[in-house]
């Protein structure tokens, strides 16, 4: 089983829709969780950290479910500019600063 | 503004040649990382460093080496380039353990 797994998609949604992605992780001792956004051929950029109590940043909501070992990202009122690949990242076993990335979920928002 | 820069942005080389990719950050971060990104595999960790003179192997370290002689730089060397090392390489840094990574803009390497 991979350490971090994501559905590669693509998720094709119309503008204004709500879309959610999940990311599962295998190490129950993981402590740090992040969502990154990556545009084609560009570097990943931090979208948001994921906190135990869940957190929101505008149209984006991130949640952590430790019991089932997954994190989620919810995007409300999708914009064309949200089209990108969303990567989840989880700190590796035993080393807090070594992040393991999922392969990413591709989102395409259409008119 | 502080930043992390990679050079070159694009590189074409031949199999068997030694290649060095540069990574320089001005944030004074202790932690630096090299990843490669390939279709179907996502970002995979090659090497990382937690400070000067510290280097560690990641999950795909064979054929690569790094050195950390100062805080700002972590050059990645391909000792004898192979076609399987054709990839996009990203350098990243973070200030403290467990914190988010900041990425450079990447180097597209083609080994012919």
């Amino acid at each position: 089983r991979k350490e971090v797994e994501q559905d590669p998609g693509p998720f094709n949604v119309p503008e204004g829709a709500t879309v959610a992605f999940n990311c599962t992780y295998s190490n129950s001792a993981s402590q740090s969780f992040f969502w990154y956004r990556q545009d084609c051929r560009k570097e990943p950029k931090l979208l948001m950290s994921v906190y135990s109590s869940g957190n929101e940043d505008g149209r984006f909501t991130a949640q952590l479910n430790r019991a089932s070992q997954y994190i989620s990202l919810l995007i409300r009122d999708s914009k064309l500019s949200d089209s990108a690949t969303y990567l989840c990242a989880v700190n590796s076993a035993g080393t807090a600063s070594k992040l393991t990335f999922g392969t990413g979920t591709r989102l395409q928002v259409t008119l | 503004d502080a930043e992390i820069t990679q050079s070159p942005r694009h590189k074409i080389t031949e199999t068997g040649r030694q290649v060095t990719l540069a990574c320089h950050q001005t944030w004074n971060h202790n932690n630096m990382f090299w990843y490669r990104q390939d279709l179907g595999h996502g970002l995979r960790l090659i090497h990382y460093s937690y400070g000067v003179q510290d280097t560690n192997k990641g999950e795909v370290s064979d054929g690569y080496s790094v050195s950390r002689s100062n805080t700002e730089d972590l050059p990645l060397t391909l000792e004898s380039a192979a076609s399987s090392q054709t990839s996009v390489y990203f350098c990243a840094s973070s200030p403290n353990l467990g914190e988010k990574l900041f990425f450079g803009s990447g180097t597209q390497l083609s080994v012919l």
Side-chain angles (χ1 to χ4, degrees):
Chain A
R1 181 184 173 185
K2 288 184 178 179
E3 280 191 65
V4 181
E5 291 195 82
Q6 294 182 255
D7 181 341
F11 284 59
N12 294 298
V13 302
E15 236 185 341
T18 296
V19 62
F21 313 131
N22 284 342
C23 167
T24 60
Y25 60 95
S26 60
N27 183 4
S28 59
S30 297
Q31 293 294 323
S32 303
F33 308 89
F34 306 92
W35 282 104
Y36 281 79
R37 171 194 169 125
Q38 186 174 29
D39 294 292
C40 188
R41 300 187 181 278
K42 299 285 186 67
E43 73 273 22
K45 293 185 177 178
L46 182 71
L47 180 64
M48 57 198 305
S49 303
V50 186
Y51 302 119
S52 298
S53 55
N55 47 298
E56 189 174 303
D57 183 1
R59 297 181 294 108
F60 299 85
T61 300
Q63 292 193 314
L64 168 64
N65 185 316
R66 286 195 182 274
S68 300
Q69 294 183 205
Y70 73 87
I71 61 173
S72 63
L73 177 67
L74 180 79
I75 306 175
R76 289 181 299 279
D77 189 22
S78 298
K79 311 291 185 190
L80 292 174
S81 57
D82 293 334
S83 298
T85 296
Y86 292 84
L87 307 172
C88 64
V90 178
N91 76 294
S92 304
T95 307
S97 194
K98 186 157 59 80
L99 292 186
T100 298
F101 286 81
T103 53
T105 297
R106 174 85 181 120
L107 171 65
Q108 184 67 50
V109 182
T110 58
L111 288 170
Chain B
D1 284 345
E3 60 181 0
I4 180 167
T5 55
Q6 293 183 233
S7 62
R9 291 297 308 276
H10 304 274
K11 175 76 176 178
I12 300 174
T13 191
E14 298 175 343
T15 55
R17 291 195 180 257
Q18 184 180 79
V19 177
T20 296
L21 309 183
C23 176
H24 179 82
Q25 52 98 3
T26 57
W27 283 305
N28 204 36
H29 288 171
N30 286 323
N31 310 308
M32 296 185 72
F33 308 82
W34 274 104
Y35 289 86
R36 62 177 287 175
Q37 188 173 36
D38 306 283
L39 281 174
H41 290 282
L43 286 160
R44 291 182 291 173
L45 185 62
I46 305 172
H47 280 287
Y48 58 102
S49 168
Y50 290 150
V52 177
Q53 303 301 331
D54 176 75
T55 61
N56 306 279
K57 294 182 178 180
E59 63 177 305
V60 289
S61 60
D62 287 349
Y64 303 94
S65 63
V66 293
S67 60
R68 189 85 181 274
S69 58
N70 58 54
T71 301
E72 296 80 17
D73 299 289
L74 187 71
L76 177 71
T77 298
L78 286 68
E79 305 294 346
S80 177
S83 57
S84 60
Q85 294 176 308
T86 292
S87 187
V88 179
Y89 291 84
F90 288 105
C91 179
S93 70
S94 71
N96 297 301
L97 294 180
E99 292 194 13
K100 59 197 175 197
L101 296 183
F102 297 87
F103 283 86
S105 52
T107 296
Q108 171 69 62
L109 176 67
S110 298
V111 183
L112 306 178

